[in-house]
Short mmCIF file of all heavy atoms in Angstrom, two decimals:
data_model
loop_
_atom_site.label_atom_id
_atom_site.label_comp_id
_atom_site.label_asym_id
_atom_site.label_seq_id
_atom_site.Cartn_x
_atom_site.Cartn_y
_atom_site.Cartn_z
N LYS A 1 8.86 -5.25 -11.92
CA LYS A 1 9.32 -6.53 -12.45
C LYS A 1 8.23 -7.58 -12.29
O LYS A 1 8.04 -8.45 -13.16
CB LYS A 1 10.60 -6.98 -11.77
CG LYS A 1 11.21 -8.27 -12.37
CD LYS A 1 12.55 -8.59 -11.77
CE LYS A 1 13.12 -9.88 -12.37
NZ LYS A 1 13.40 -9.75 -13.82
N TYR A 2 7.48 -7.51 -11.18
CA TYR A 2 6.35 -8.42 -10.98
C TYR A 2 5.02 -7.70 -11.23
O TYR A 2 4.16 -8.21 -11.94
CB TYR A 2 6.36 -9.02 -9.58
CG TYR A 2 5.23 -10.02 -9.39
CD1 TYR A 2 5.25 -11.23 -10.06
CD2 TYR A 2 4.13 -9.73 -8.59
CE1 TYR A 2 4.21 -12.14 -9.94
CE2 TYR A 2 3.09 -10.62 -8.46
CZ TYR A 2 3.13 -11.83 -9.14
OH TYR A 2 2.08 -12.71 -9.03
N ARG A 3 4.84 -6.52 -10.63
CA ARG A 3 3.59 -5.76 -10.79
C ARG A 3 3.64 -4.99 -12.11
O ARG A 3 3.72 -3.76 -12.15
CB ARG A 3 3.38 -4.82 -9.61
CG ARG A 3 3.29 -5.51 -8.27
CD ARG A 3 2.01 -6.29 -8.11
NE ARG A 3 2.05 -7.14 -6.92
CZ ARG A 3 1.06 -7.93 -6.54
NH1 ARG A 3 -0.05 -7.99 -7.26
NH2 ARG A 3 1.18 -8.69 -5.47
N ARG A 4 3.57 -5.73 -13.19
CA ARG A 4 3.71 -5.14 -14.52
C ARG A 4 2.52 -4.25 -14.85
O ARG A 4 1.39 -4.60 -14.60
CB ARG A 4 3.88 -6.25 -15.56
CG ARG A 4 5.19 -7.02 -15.34
CD ARG A 4 5.37 -8.17 -16.30
NE ARG A 4 6.59 -8.92 -15.96
CZ ARG A 4 6.98 -10.04 -16.56
NH1 ARG A 4 6.23 -10.55 -17.54
NH2 ARG A 4 8.09 -10.65 -16.19
N ASN A 5 2.83 -3.09 -15.41
CA ASN A 5 1.87 -2.01 -15.69
C ASN A 5 1.55 -1.20 -14.45
O ASN A 5 0.72 -0.28 -14.51
CB ASN A 5 0.56 -2.52 -16.30
CG ASN A 5 0.72 -3.06 -17.70
OD1 ASN A 5 1.78 -2.91 -18.32
ND2 ASN A 5 -0.32 -3.69 -18.23
N GLY A 6 2.18 -1.51 -13.33
CA GLY A 6 1.92 -0.78 -12.10
C GLY A 6 2.85 0.39 -11.91
O GLY A 6 3.94 0.45 -12.48
N ASN A 7 2.42 1.37 -11.09
CA ASN A 7 3.21 2.56 -10.81
C ASN A 7 3.34 2.72 -9.30
O ASN A 7 2.34 2.94 -8.61
CB ASN A 7 2.56 3.79 -11.43
CG ASN A 7 3.41 5.04 -11.26
OD1 ASN A 7 3.49 5.60 -10.18
ND2 ASN A 7 4.05 5.47 -12.35
N LEU A 8 4.55 2.59 -8.79
CA LEU A 8 4.78 2.62 -7.35
C LEU A 8 4.40 3.96 -6.75
O LEU A 8 3.83 4.02 -5.66
CB LEU A 8 6.24 2.28 -7.04
CG LEU A 8 6.62 2.25 -5.56
CD1 LEU A 8 5.80 1.22 -4.80
CD2 LEU A 8 8.12 1.96 -5.41
N ASP A 9 4.71 5.05 -7.44
CA ASP A 9 4.35 6.37 -6.91
C ASP A 9 2.85 6.51 -6.72
O ASP A 9 2.38 7.09 -5.73
CB ASP A 9 4.87 7.47 -7.85
CG ASP A 9 6.38 7.64 -7.78
OD1 ASP A 9 6.98 7.20 -6.79
OD2 ASP A 9 6.95 8.22 -8.73
N THR A 10 2.08 5.96 -7.66
CA THR A 10 0.62 6.01 -7.55
C THR A 10 0.14 5.21 -6.34
O THR A 10 -0.74 5.64 -5.59
CB THR A 10 -0.03 5.46 -8.83
OG1 THR A 10 0.36 6.25 -9.95
CG2 THR A 10 -1.55 5.46 -8.72
N VAL A 11 0.74 4.04 -6.14
CA VAL A 11 0.38 3.19 -4.99
C VAL A 11 0.63 3.93 -3.69
O VAL A 11 -0.24 3.98 -2.80
CB VAL A 11 1.19 1.88 -5.02
CG1 VAL A 11 0.89 1.05 -3.76
CG2 VAL A 11 0.88 1.07 -6.26
N LEU A 12 1.81 4.51 -3.56
CA LEU A 12 2.18 5.18 -2.30
C LEU A 12 1.34 6.42 -2.08
O LEU A 12 0.94 6.72 -0.94
CB LEU A 12 3.67 5.53 -2.33
CG LEU A 12 4.62 4.33 -2.42
CD1 LEU A 12 6.07 4.80 -2.43
CD2 LEU A 12 4.39 3.35 -1.29
N LYS A 13 1.04 7.16 -3.16
CA LYS A 13 0.18 8.34 -3.03
C LYS A 13 -1.20 7.94 -2.54
O LYS A 13 -1.76 8.57 -1.62
CB LYS A 13 0.08 9.05 -4.38
CG LYS A 13 -0.80 10.31 -4.35
CD LYS A 13 -1.10 10.82 -5.74
CE LYS A 13 -2.04 9.88 -6.49
NZ LYS A 13 -2.46 10.41 -7.82
N ASN A 14 -1.76 6.89 -3.12
CA ASN A 14 -3.08 6.42 -2.69
C ASN A 14 -3.07 5.93 -1.26
O ASN A 14 -4.00 6.18 -0.48
CB ASN A 14 -3.56 5.32 -3.62
CG ASN A 14 -4.01 5.83 -4.97
OD1 ASN A 14 -4.49 6.96 -5.09
ND2 ASN A 14 -3.88 5.01 -6.00
N LEU A 15 -2.01 5.20 -0.89
CA LEU A 15 -1.93 4.68 0.47
C LEU A 15 -1.79 5.81 1.48
O LEU A 15 -2.42 5.78 2.56
CB LEU A 15 -0.75 3.70 0.58
CG LEU A 15 -0.57 3.01 1.93
CD1 LEU A 15 -1.85 2.34 2.39
CD2 LEU A 15 0.57 1.98 1.84
N GLU A 16 -1.01 6.81 1.16
CA GLU A 16 -0.88 7.97 2.05
C GLU A 16 -2.22 8.67 2.23
O GLU A 16 -2.58 9.07 3.34
CB GLU A 16 0.16 8.94 1.48
CG GLU A 16 1.59 8.45 1.60
CD GLU A 16 2.57 9.33 0.85
OE1 GLU A 16 2.12 10.24 0.11
OE2 GLU A 16 3.79 9.12 0.99
N ASN A 17 -2.98 8.79 1.14
CA ASN A 17 -4.30 9.42 1.23
C ASN A 17 -5.25 8.59 2.08
O ASN A 17 -6.04 9.13 2.87
CB ASN A 17 -4.89 9.61 -0.18
CG ASN A 17 -4.23 10.74 -0.94
OD1 ASN A 17 -3.65 11.64 -0.34
ND2 ASN A 17 -4.33 10.71 -2.26
N ILE A 18 -5.19 7.28 1.94
CA ILE A 18 -6.05 6.39 2.72
C ILE A 18 -5.75 6.53 4.21
O ILE A 18 -6.67 6.63 5.04
CB ILE A 18 -5.86 4.94 2.25
CG1 ILE A 18 -6.58 4.72 0.92
CG2 ILE A 18 -6.34 3.94 3.30
CD1 ILE A 18 -6.31 3.39 0.27
N ILE A 19 -4.47 6.53 4.55
CA ILE A 19 -4.08 6.67 5.96
C ILE A 19 -4.52 8.03 6.50
O ILE A 19 -4.99 8.14 7.65
CB ILE A 19 -2.56 6.46 6.11
CG1 ILE A 19 -2.22 5.00 5.78
CG2 ILE A 19 -2.09 6.83 7.51
CD1 ILE A 19 -0.74 4.73 5.65
N LYS A 20 -4.40 9.06 5.68
CA LYS A 20 -4.83 10.40 6.07
C LYS A 20 -6.33 10.43 6.31
O LYS A 20 -6.80 11.00 7.31
CB LYS A 20 -4.44 11.40 4.97
CG LYS A 20 -4.83 12.84 5.27
CD LYS A 20 -4.42 13.76 4.12
CE LYS A 20 -4.85 15.19 4.38
NZ LYS A 20 -4.48 16.08 3.24
N ILE A 21 -7.10 9.83 5.41
CA ILE A 21 -8.56 9.79 5.56
C ILE A 21 -8.95 9.03 6.83
O ILE A 21 -9.85 9.46 7.58
CB ILE A 21 -9.20 9.12 4.33
CG1 ILE A 21 -9.00 9.98 3.09
CG2 ILE A 21 -10.69 8.86 4.55
CD1 ILE A 21 -9.32 9.27 1.79
N LYS A 22 -8.28 7.93 7.10
CA LYS A 22 -8.58 7.14 8.30
C LYS A 22 -8.33 7.97 9.56
O LYS A 22 -9.15 7.96 10.50
CB LYS A 22 -7.72 5.87 8.31
CG LYS A 22 -7.96 4.99 9.53
CD LYS A 22 -7.05 3.77 9.53
CE LYS A 22 -7.24 2.97 10.82
NZ LYS A 22 -6.34 1.79 10.89
N LYS A 23 -7.22 8.71 9.58
CA LYS A 23 -6.89 9.52 10.77
C LYS A 23 -7.85 10.69 10.91
O LYS A 23 -8.32 11.00 12.02
CB LYS A 23 -5.45 10.02 10.66
CG LYS A 23 -4.40 8.94 10.86
CD LYS A 23 -2.99 9.51 10.79
CE LYS A 23 -1.95 8.43 11.04
NZ LYS A 23 -0.56 8.97 10.95
N GLN A 24 -8.15 11.36 9.80
CA GLN A 24 -9.04 12.52 9.86
C GLN A 24 -10.43 12.14 10.36
O GLN A 24 -11.09 12.91 11.06
CB GLN A 24 -9.14 13.17 8.48
CG GLN A 24 -7.90 13.94 8.06
CD GLN A 24 -8.03 14.52 6.65
OE1 GLN A 24 -8.85 14.07 5.85
NE2 GLN A 24 -7.20 15.51 6.36
N ASN A 25 -10.88 10.95 10.00
CA ASN A 25 -12.20 10.49 10.40
C ASN A 25 -12.17 9.70 11.70
O ASN A 25 -13.21 9.19 12.14
CB ASN A 25 -12.82 9.65 9.29
CG ASN A 25 -13.22 10.46 8.08
OD1 ASN A 25 -14.32 11.00 8.01
ND2 ASN A 25 -12.32 10.59 7.11
N LYS A 26 -10.98 9.59 12.30
CA LYS A 26 -10.79 8.90 13.58
C LYS A 26 -11.38 7.49 13.55
O LYS A 26 -12.13 7.08 14.44
CB LYS A 26 -11.40 9.72 14.72
CG LYS A 26 -10.76 11.08 14.89
CD LYS A 26 -11.39 11.88 16.03
CE LYS A 26 -10.72 13.24 16.17
NZ LYS A 26 -11.31 14.06 17.26
N LEU A 27 -11.05 6.76 12.47
CA LEU A 27 -11.57 5.42 12.28
C LEU A 27 -10.66 4.37 12.90
O LEU A 27 -9.43 4.46 12.78
CB LEU A 27 -11.71 5.12 10.78
CG LEU A 27 -12.64 6.04 9.98
CD1 LEU A 27 -12.54 5.71 8.49
CD2 LEU A 27 -14.07 5.91 10.46
N GLN A 28 -11.23 3.39 13.56
CA GLN A 28 -10.45 2.28 14.08
C GLN A 28 -10.09 1.31 12.95
O GLN A 28 -9.02 0.70 12.95
CB GLN A 28 -11.22 1.53 15.16
CG GLN A 28 -10.43 0.39 15.79
CD GLN A 28 -11.21 -0.33 16.88
OE1 GLN A 28 -12.38 -0.02 17.11
NE2 GLN A 28 -10.58 -1.28 17.55
N TYR A 29 -11.00 1.21 12.00
CA TYR A 29 -10.81 0.32 10.85
C TYR A 29 -10.93 1.12 9.56
O TYR A 29 -11.56 2.17 9.55
CB TYR A 29 -11.85 -0.81 10.89
CG TYR A 29 -11.72 -1.67 12.12
CD1 TYR A 29 -12.59 -1.50 13.20
CD2 TYR A 29 -10.72 -2.64 12.22
CE1 TYR A 29 -12.47 -2.27 14.35
CE2 TYR A 29 -10.60 -3.41 13.35
CZ TYR A 29 -11.46 -3.23 14.41
OH TYR A 29 -11.33 -4.00 15.54
N PRO A 30 -10.31 0.62 8.49
CA PRO A 30 -9.71 -0.70 8.34
C PRO A 30 -8.31 -0.80 8.95
O PRO A 30 -7.58 0.19 9.04
CB PRO A 30 -9.61 -0.86 6.81
CG PRO A 30 -9.41 0.55 6.32
CD PRO A 30 -10.26 1.39 7.22
N ILE A 31 -7.97 -2.00 9.41
CA ILE A 31 -6.59 -2.33 9.70
C ILE A 31 -5.84 -2.28 8.37
O ILE A 31 -6.25 -2.91 7.40
CB ILE A 31 -6.46 -3.73 10.31
CG1 ILE A 31 -7.25 -3.81 11.63
CG2 ILE A 31 -5.00 -4.12 10.51
CD1 ILE A 31 -7.52 -5.23 12.08
N ILE A 32 -4.78 -1.52 8.30
CA ILE A 32 -4.06 -1.33 7.04
C ILE A 32 -2.76 -2.12 7.06
O ILE A 32 -1.92 -1.91 7.93
CB ILE A 32 -3.79 0.16 6.77
CG1 ILE A 32 -5.12 0.92 6.68
CG2 ILE A 32 -2.97 0.34 5.49
CD1 ILE A 32 -4.97 2.42 6.53
N GLN A 33 -2.64 -3.00 6.12
CA GLN A 33 -1.47 -3.88 6.03
C GLN A 33 -0.77 -3.68 4.70
O GLN A 33 -1.40 -3.68 3.64
CB GLN A 33 -1.91 -5.34 6.17
CG GLN A 33 -0.77 -6.35 6.08
CD GLN A 33 -1.28 -7.78 6.01
OE1 GLN A 33 -1.30 -8.39 4.95
NE2 GLN A 33 -1.70 -8.32 7.15
N ALA A 34 0.54 -3.47 4.76
CA ALA A 34 1.36 -3.45 3.55
C ALA A 34 1.99 -4.83 3.38
O ALA A 34 2.52 -5.39 4.34
CB ALA A 34 2.45 -2.38 3.66
N ARG A 35 1.92 -5.36 2.17
CA ARG A 35 2.42 -6.71 1.93
C ARG A 35 3.45 -6.73 0.80
O ARG A 35 3.23 -6.15 -0.25
CB ARG A 35 1.27 -7.65 1.58
CG ARG A 35 1.71 -9.08 1.25
CD ARG A 35 0.52 -10.02 1.12
NE ARG A 35 -0.35 -9.64 0.01
CZ ARG A 35 -1.53 -10.20 -0.24
NH1 ARG A 35 -2.00 -11.14 0.57
NH2 ARG A 35 -2.27 -9.82 -1.26
N MET A 36 4.54 -7.40 1.07
CA MET A 36 5.53 -7.65 0.03
C MET A 36 5.62 -9.15 -0.22
O MET A 36 5.87 -9.93 0.71
CB MET A 36 6.92 -7.13 0.42
CG MET A 36 8.03 -7.58 -0.55
SD MET A 36 9.71 -7.20 0.01
CE MET A 36 9.90 -5.56 -0.67
N LEU A 37 5.37 -9.58 -1.45
CA LEU A 37 5.63 -10.96 -1.83
C LEU A 37 7.13 -11.07 -2.08
O LEU A 37 7.66 -10.43 -2.99
CB LEU A 37 4.84 -11.34 -3.08
CG LEU A 37 3.32 -11.32 -2.95
CD1 LEU A 37 2.67 -11.75 -4.26
CD2 LEU A 37 2.85 -12.22 -1.82
N VAL A 38 7.80 -11.87 -1.27
CA VAL A 38 9.26 -11.93 -1.33
C VAL A 38 9.71 -12.85 -2.47
O VAL A 38 9.36 -14.03 -2.51
CB VAL A 38 9.83 -12.43 0.01
CG1 VAL A 38 11.36 -12.47 -0.05
CG2 VAL A 38 9.38 -11.52 1.16
N MET A 39 10.45 -12.27 -3.40
CA MET A 39 10.97 -12.99 -4.55
C MET A 39 12.45 -12.69 -4.71
O MET A 39 13.00 -11.83 -4.02
CB MET A 39 10.19 -12.60 -5.81
CG MET A 39 8.72 -13.03 -5.78
SD MET A 39 7.70 -12.30 -7.09
CE MET A 39 7.11 -10.80 -6.28
N LYS A 40 13.08 -13.40 -5.62
CA LYS A 40 14.52 -13.25 -5.78
C LYS A 40 14.91 -11.82 -6.12
O LYS A 40 15.91 -11.30 -5.64
CB LYS A 40 15.03 -14.21 -6.86
CG LYS A 40 16.55 -14.19 -7.04
CD LYS A 40 17.03 -15.16 -8.09
CE LYS A 40 16.86 -16.59 -7.63
NZ LYS A 40 17.42 -17.58 -8.59
N HIS A 41 14.10 -11.18 -6.94
CA HIS A 41 14.48 -9.85 -7.43
C HIS A 41 14.23 -8.74 -6.41
O HIS A 41 14.71 -7.61 -6.60
CB HIS A 41 13.74 -9.52 -8.72
CG HIS A 41 12.27 -9.29 -8.53
ND1 HIS A 41 11.36 -10.33 -8.48
CD2 HIS A 41 11.55 -8.15 -8.36
CE1 HIS A 41 10.15 -9.83 -8.31
NE2 HIS A 41 10.24 -8.53 -8.23
N ASN A 42 13.45 -9.02 -5.33
CA ASN A 42 13.17 -7.94 -4.38
C ASN A 42 13.58 -8.25 -2.94
O ASN A 42 13.41 -7.41 -2.06
CB ASN A 42 11.68 -7.57 -4.42
CG ASN A 42 10.76 -8.66 -3.89
OD1 ASN A 42 11.20 -9.68 -3.38
ND2 ASN A 42 9.45 -8.44 -4.02
N GLU A 43 14.12 -9.44 -2.68
CA GLU A 43 14.42 -9.80 -1.29
C GLU A 43 15.48 -8.89 -0.66
O GLU A 43 15.53 -8.76 0.56
CB GLU A 43 14.83 -11.27 -1.17
CG GLU A 43 16.06 -11.67 -1.93
CD GLU A 43 16.34 -13.18 -1.80
OE1 GLU A 43 16.15 -13.73 -0.69
OE2 GLU A 43 16.74 -13.79 -2.79
#
């Protein structure tokens, strides 16, 4: 509704891969933050 042209499954797949890469390489960084912009349609 807000992220028009976006695909949530793609986002989550990429984020899971990023977290996996960070763990496999035993990296302290990046600090990974998930952000939700709170709006009427998603609160």
Side-chain angles (χ1 to χ4, degrees):
K1 185 173 179 64
Y2 183 70
R3 300 289 170 181
R4 295 177 184 175
N5 292 351
N7 185 285
L8 181 60
D9 287 340
T10 300
V11 176
L12 297 181
K13 179 191 70 174
N14 286 330
L15 183 52
E16 288 172 352
N17 286 338
I18 284 172
I19 293 170
K20 180 180 178 182
I21 293 167
K22 180 182 175 182
K23 288 182 178 179
Q24 286 178 340
N25 289 273
K26 298 180 180 179
L27 300 173
Q28 183 179 4
Y29 298 101
I31 299 163
I32 299 175
Q33 179 189 103
R35 177 172 63 188
M36 171 189 272
L37 297 181
V38 181
M39 294 169 269
K40 184 179 290 185
H41 70 276
N42 68 6
E43 61 183 321

